Amino acid sequence: MLYKKRKQKLTLVMVVILLILLISVIGVAVHVIQKYTPTKDRMDPMTYYGIADAQELPLIFGTEVLEMRGRLVDGNAYVPFEAVSGYLNKRFYWDSNENILLYTTPTEKMIITPEANSYMVGEESRGAEGIICKVMDGAPYLNIAFVKQMTDIEYTLLQQPDRLVVQYQWSDVSMVQVKEDTQVRYQGGIKSEILTDVAEGKELRMVDDLDDWKCVVTEDGYVGYIKTSKLKGEPQTRNFERQFQAPEYTSISRDHPINLTWHQVTNIDANDSLELLTTNVSGVNVISPTWFSLISNQGDISSLASAEYVERAHAMGMEVWGLVSNFDENVSTFEVLSHTSSRTKLVHLLVQAAQQYGLDGINVDLEELSEDTGPHFIQFLRELSIYCRLHQIVLSVDNPVPQEFTAHYDRREQGVIVDYVIIMGYDENYAGSPSAGSVASYPWVKQGVEDTVAVAPAQKVINAVPFYTRVWKTTAGVLSSEALGMSDAARFMKRNQIETYWDKESCQNYGEFNDGESFYQIWMEDAESLEVKMGLVKEYGLAGVASWKLGFEQKNIWQVLSNGLE
């Protein structure tokens, strides 16, 4: 009897243990199944797009869901101006002062007022489909149908929820192909919610490669993740053939290297110095007198132009490119360029002067532009280029050596719309610099050339060299400097018996001395330093050289420049 009871008890224990083991196995199996079974939960599209207001129209541009929102009005999709200019076409321009939209082509400027379904070109009115531009909540919105007329894009307006998908990227696109019916998820993981379904054979644009998962964008406007195992083969790079005909910007290009020198003209009588200053000049084929200056915020200019000067320069074999500057402290360049009325006035006055005095070109020298002036500056160049192109007036623009803080000069767009992009390859160290140094060391100048030709055609780029240097003086720890022309600098060196040596880093002759009270330093700009810089013209295939300024040079410099252009 005792044995039987023990056996029953043992059997019960075994059953309990087996049950525990079974439950554990089931638990583990359930956990494994749950862990490795993809969720079927779907993300609400309203949540995905962050739609809080029914009037909002989510914008999917390329491979990005924008934070900016459009509007759907009377069945037409309207996109914020900032989104259009930032992603699709920066040649649209909004004048918030005069409440007009502009679009500039190589040959005309379209003027569009909000709520209009037509635009003006000169005196002519041309129609368009629907309202082109609306101002909503104080901000301009553009009809995507009109944007498409001017831009190489495709768009789809989808529903549930309403959203606008715009594609504008057509080159070097990474594509993947779906191997079997599957889903695109919000994040890279099977437990992430489903955004949308994709069918076998579908091609998707790839945004990012995370090995086991690929970030893709779908045609219906979802940016999410698809499992790599659901894709066929490796991502492929594609270029899409397009039928869109972009406007062609023609340029005036001389069939010889440009050798330009600036002639500083500060009063009308200074025009008479042309012959005297050019007595020893050789090889120069363009002279640019500093004739025009901004004098009001309404776009007015002062003029020192002389038709007789132009005739004399032409007789010497030189073209004349009149320069316009913005050195009047009482004039705001931002105010002039950010108003269409004043910008238009400036353009017309410059072109009118060019025609009146027989100028061959206009040289734009608007310096120290603030970042917020950048878009208005480029629009000014677009508008000026229309008339220069029409009247065969060469348009050149002076730019500082590229730095992060001068990116708003937009040398890439300049390289399209103007004829010559000039680098002012000097003032590396300037009056007020915190330390002494070269005005234009070779590495600094070379980097400026490289950075410019990376965005603008080399055959349009002119590198400007200085005919001056700075004598740096340190007295009791206080640094000051004086700019000297080449001859004056040579006399200074001789007078103070300063010996120089060739500085391999700057590629200049360097000298220094101490007179007991002050310490002097000078990096010479001379025939040797300019010969090295002229090598950049051939090395990068540049359009030529410019020089600041006429009268600062030594006699032998002209042959150095000519040799560098051969």
Side-chain angles (χ1 to χ4, degrees):
M1 182 67 69
L2 182 61
Y3 171 76
K4 187 177 181 180
K5 288 182 178 180
R6 286 179 178 175
K7 188 176 180 180
Q8 290 175 341
K9 186 175 182 181
L10 181 60
T11 301
L12 182 61
V13 170
M14 291 296 291
V15 170
V16 170
I17 291 172
L18 288 172
L19 285 173
I20 291 173
L21 288 172
L22 181 59
I23 292 170
S24 298
V25 169
I26 293 171
V28 170
V30 170
H31 175 73
V32 170
I33 291 171
Q34 288 179 339
K35 181 178 180 180
Y36 292 101
T37 300
T39 182
K40 295 182 180 180
D41 293 341
R42 290 181 173 268
M43 177 173 280
D44 178 28
M46 301 289 283
T47 302
Y48 173 75
Y49 290 113
I51 300 173
D53 186 336
Q55 292 184 330
E56 292 182 357
L57 182 67
L59 302 174
I60 302 90
F61 279 17
T63 58
E64 184 178 351
V65 179
L66 305 191
E67 291 187 9
M68 290 181 280
R69 301 303 173 95
R71 298 288 183 85
L72 189 61
V73 181
D74 298 329
N76 293 308
Y78 289 87
V79 178
F81 168 78
E82 289 83 359
V84 173
S85 61
Y87 288 85
L88 307 180
N89 190 332
K90 62 183 177 181
R91 291 185 182 134
F92 281 100
Y93 174 86
W94 173 252
D95 183 340
S96 59
N97 296 303
E98 300 179 17
N99 206 42
I100 55 175
L101 176 73
L102 303 177
Y103 188 77
T104 310
T105 74
T107 58
E108 59 188 18
K109 179 176 68 176
M110 304 176 189
I111 303 174
I112 304 158
T113 55
E115 303 300 327
N117 59 359
S118 63
Y119 53 87
M120 293 295 298
V121 179
E123 300 298 322
E124 182 182 354
S125 178
R126 301 183 187 176
E129 295 181 9
I131 301 300
I132 297 172
C133 177
K134 280 183 171 289
V135 175
M136 293 177 272
D137 297 329
Y141 288 73
L142 278 63
N143 189 326
I144 192 66
F146 184 75
V147 174
K148 186 178 186 301
Q149 292 181 28
M150 310 299 168
T151 315
D152 189 10
I153 63 172
E154 298 292 343
Y155 70 88
T156 307
L157 184 58
L158 299 168
Q159 296 178 321
Q160 297 181 344
D162 291 332
R163 59 197 186 278
L164 181 67
V165 180
V166 180
Q167 189 51 254
Y168 64 98
Q169 298 161 326
W170 308 114
S171 301
D172 298 324
V173 180
S174 292
M175 302 292 295
V176 292
Q177 188 174 27
V178 179
K179 184 167 59 177
E180 57 186 79
D181 293 354
T182 187
Q183 299 84 32
V184 172
R185 297 180 179 274
Y186 180 58
Q187 294 179 328
I190 61 174
K191 295 303 181 184
S192 182
E193 294 172 292
I194 296 170
L195 295 177
T196 189
D197 298 303
V198 287
E200 175 187 349
K202 198 69 176 176
E203 285 192 311
L204 304 173
R205 290 170 180 252
M206 188 180 77
V207 182
D208 197 9
D209 188 343
L210 303 180
D211 293 331
D212 290 340
W213 292 83
K214 302 287 191 290
C215 182
V216 297
V217 59
T218 65
E219 289 182 353
D220 54 350
Y222 290 96
V223 180
Y225 294 82
I226 190 169
K227 198 165 180 58
T228 302
S229 61
K230 302 293 185 181
L231 300 173
K232 183 184 299 183
E234 295 296 320
Q236 302 294 317
T237 300
R238 280 186 49 190
N239 293 311
F240 290 85
E241 291 186 7
R242 304 290 299 158
Q243 299 301 316
F244 181 80
Q245 294 295 318
E248 182 181 357
Y249 281 80
T250 58
S251 297
I252 302 171
S253 178
R254 299 306 187 218
D255 59 3
H256 54 261
I258 300 296
N259 189 345
L260 177 152
T261 192
W262 282 292
H263 180 193
Q264 188 173 28
V265 178
T266 55
N267 56 64
I268 197 70
D269 293 334
N271 287 320
D272 297 332
S273 66
L274 175 62
E275 282 81 5
L276 178 63
L277 289 174
T278 57
T279 300
N280 297 312
V281 169
S282 63
V284 170
N285 48 38
V286 178
I287 191 164
S288 180
T290 59
W291 276 344
F292 308 110
S293 300
L294 287 174
I295 57 171
S296 81
N297 289 343
Q298 288 70 49
D300 295 291
I301 57 174
S302 61
S303 174
L304 297 171
S306 162
E308 183 185 355
Y309 179 106
V310 174
E311 291 177 6
R312 298 194 329 255
H314 283 171
M316 296 180 204
M318 295 185 290
E319 294 186 14
V320 181
W321 296 0
L323 178 146
V324 57
S325 64
N326 62 333
F327 300 138
D328 188 329
E329 294 181 355
N330 297 315
V331 177
S332 166
T333 307
F334 174 83
E335 286 298 317
V336 174
L337 300 186
S338 63
H339 290 74
T340 296
S341 56
S342 54
R343 197 174 58 248
T344 300
K345 184 177 186 180
L346 174 59
V347 166
H348 287 166
L349 287 175
L350 288 172
V351 174
Q352 187 179 59
Q355 293 179 293
Q356 179 181 350
Y357 294 101
L359 301 183
D360 306 282
I362 295 171
N363 178 233
V364 176
D365 187 37
L366 304 185
E367 299 188 22
E368 297 186 1
L369 300 180
S370 60
E371 185 174 356
D372 58 352
T373 304
H376 312 299
F377 172 64
I378 292 298
Q379 181 62 19
F380 162 65
L381 295 180
R382 289 192 191 106
E383 294 172 10
L384 179 57
S385 77
I386 293 173
Y387 295 95
C388 287
R389 205 171 282 112
L390 176 64
H391 297 291
Q392 289 296 293
I393 300 167
V394 176
L395 177 58
S396 62
V397 183
D398 304 335
N399 294 269
V401 169
Q403 305 282 347
E404 266 188 50
F405 58 86
T406 64
H408 53 278
Y409 278 75
D410 199 350
R411 297 161 183 85
R412 184 183 299 278
E413 183 72 349
Q414 284 188 39
V416 175
I417 60 179
V418 309
D419 300 311
Y420 290 103
V421 178
I422 300 178
I423 310 167
M424 296 184 289
Y426 38 79
D427 280 349
E428 177 183 4
N429 292 284
Y430 48 89
S433 284
S435 58
S438 170
V439 166
S441 69
Y442 177 73
W444 183 78
V445 173
K446 181 176 182 178
Q447 188 64 56
V449 171
E450 287 182 353
D451 291 344
T452 303
V453 299
V455 295
Q459 65 270 22
K460 284 189 173 188
V461 175
I462 296 172
N463 185 51
V465 297
F467 283 169
Y468 68 94
T469 189
R470 284 191 174 275
V471 176
W472 298 89
K473 177 181 177 182
T474 304
T475 306
V478 178
L479 179 68
S480 61
S481 70
E482 179 185 6
L484 297 177
M486 288 181 171
S487 296
D488 286 344
R491 283 191 285 270
F492 175 84
M493 300 291 285
K494 184 176 181 180
R495 184 170 62 249
N496 292 285
Q497 299 181 337
I498 302 173
E499 293 186 5
T500 63
Y501 70 87
W502 182 254
D503 176 24
K504 293 182 180 180
E505 182 177 350
S506 66
C507 292
Q508 290 174 296
N509 287 304
Y510 171 79
E512 62 181 44
F513 83 101
N514 197 319
D515 66 0
E517 293 183 0
S518 302
F519 176 58
Y520 296 85
Q521 296 171 277
I522 186 169
W523 284 261
M524 293 291 289
E525 205 63 74
D526 53 24
E528 289 181 271
S529 67
L530 288 185
E531 184 177 7
V532 177
K533 292 183 180 72
M534 287 303 296
L536 296 170
V537 175
K538 286 184 180 178
E539 182 177 352
Y540 292 94
L542 305 184
V545 66
S547 53
W548 177 265
K549 67 177 179 171
L550 182 63
F552 268 12
E553 77 285 357
Q554 290 178 309
K555 181 179 177 180
N556 62 340
I557 291 303
W558 298 114
Q559 191 59 51
V560 173
L561 300 190
S562 294
N563 291 343
L565 295 176
E566 290 179 352

